[in-house]
Amino acid sequence: LKLNNRYYKCYVSKFPFGTALFFVDITAAKNAEKMREDFFSSVSHELKTPITSIRGYSELLSEGVVTDPSLQHDMLEKIQKQVDNMSNLINDILLLSRFDNDDIVVERVPVNMKSTVEDIVSSYESLCLKEEITIHKEVEDVNILFHPQQMANLLSNLISNAIKYNHPGGLVNVNVYKNEDDLFIEVSDTGIGIPQEDQNRVFERFYRVDKGRSRMKGGTGLGLAIVKHIVSFNKGKLTLTSTPEVGTTITIRFPNI
Ligand code: ADP
């Protein structure tokens, strides 16, 4: 039974004095079910795109239609890229499902921010060259008690977005600093920005402002959802400010433990 956008289940009980109807509000369960269904349908959809492309290219190659070796090479590279996309997607889904099931093992150790940022930034060197992006870092030589993989995941999602959604010749700034109470991580870019109405939604699973651009750059659509989980798991606070065609800044504050 649906009433004023809420769902009720009706139970009938017979008593010696008559019959009673009980209505139980099942809106929360219904909403959770709907979210699960939406998630699975998005995942199937996201997997269909690379699978279709892999099937297409591999059929062409196996039928011997393409004889030019350089074309064959291009197609194999496209297949590899799609395989990488699928594997990133599956890793992201597994991580999110571990957050959903509270199945995260926390081993917090001192993580040095300077060397972690160095490592992540250098792993994006070739992407920066390709996209003509310069990264500036201002990172204090400080430690934070954190799960190393979570910190790497958080930084690489923020930094890769700042590169992917930028313009050729654009800048990315990574600042990390500490005060007595908190550690701040700030990643800003001079990129395409995020329209006001999308600024909250980009943290939803599979929400993208520009689907074509995200897919072309190999995005899973789950990066910021993962960032949000990592931040709240570690009792942090996240703020996003963005102006279309000017750029985006994401600041995260963690209690300094
Ligand atoms: P994706 O894999 O698509 O990058 P994310 O969850 O990391 O997924 O980001 C969701 C969407 O938010 C992106 O598709 C993009 O539209 C937008 N976005 C994220 N970071 C930025 C940024 N720095 N500048 C502009 N848009 C961004």
Side-chain angles (χ1 to χ4, degrees), residues 33-238:
E33 189 185 310
K34 170 92 174 59
M35 269 175 69
R36 234 179 354 256
E37 280 168 9
D38 287 352
F39 182 69
F40 281 116
S41 99
S42 301
V43 169
S44 324
H45 182 77
E46 295 292 329
L47 284 171
K48 250 185 209 152
T49 317
I51 287 174
T52 308
S53 143
I54 291 171
R55 175 184 287 143
Y57 289 123
S58 58
E59 271 174 11
L60 283 175
L61 287 169
S62 70
E63 283 162 7
V65 186
V66 187
T67 49
D68 179 354
S70 87
L71 262 183
Q72 287 176 341
H73 184 256
D74 280 359
M75 288 186 170
L76 283 171
E77 268 186 353
K78 287 193 172 118
I79 290 177
Q80 276 161 9
K81 193 162 173 268
Q82 296 297 349
V83 170
D84 287 345
N85 288 352
M86 282 206 291
S87 127
N88 290 340
L89 178 63
I90 287 165
N91 285 336
D92 282 357
I93 290 169
L94 286 176
L95 181 59
L96 279 173
S97 92
R98 287 212 296 276
F99 274 114
D100 288 345
N101 298 322
D102 283 328
D103 178 20
I104 302 277
V105 186
V106 234
E107 269 176 69
R108 289 191 175 90
V109 295
V111 172
N112 183 266
M113 291 305 293
K114 208 172 171 69
S115 60
T116 310
V117 171
E118 295 281 349
D119 288 350
I120 305 288
V121 167
S122 63
S123 73
Y124 285 110
E125 226 163 66
S126 64
L127 183 63
C128 284
L129 269 177
K130 190 171 144 230
E131 308 270 335
E132 297 169 47
I133 303 297
T134 312
I135 301 191
H136 288 297
K137 318 179 279 275
E138 234 174 272
V139 183
E140 286 180 6
D141 193 3
V142 290
N143 289 339
I144 179 170
L145 271 187
F146 219 87
H147 189 272
Q149 189 55 46
Q150 282 188 3
M151 183 53 82
N153 208 322
L154 179 121
L155 288 169
S156 57
N157 276 313
L158 296 182
I159 294 173
S160 68
N161 281 348
I163 302 169
K164 288 189 300 188
Y165 303 106
N166 216 320
H167 299 294
L171 295 177
V172 172
N173 273 300
V174 184
N175 292 336
V176 177
Y177 49 94
K178 206 169 173 178
N179 68 14
E180 272 163 35
D181 302 320
D182 301 298
L183 179 114
F184 294 84
I185 299 172
E186 194 180 281
V187 178
S188 60
D189 62 65
T190 56
I192 60 174
I194 303 170
Q196 180 78 42
E197 64 271 24
D198 295 311
Q199 289 179 8
N200 278 328
R201 303 209 61 193
V202 290
F203 296 95
E204 291 172 15
R205 296 172 187 194
F206 297 119
Y207 189 84
R208 292 146 159 140
V209 179
D210 177 346
K211 287 195 175 52
R213 187 176 180 120
S214 160
R215 291 223 171 81
M216 190 182 72
K217 308 261 177 186
T220 62
L222 296 175
L224 288 181
I226 289 175
V227 166
K228 196 176 140 188
H229 273 286
I230 295 176
V231 170
S232 72
F233 184 80
N234 293 283
K235 309 206 170 7
K237 285 238 162 0
L238 183 149

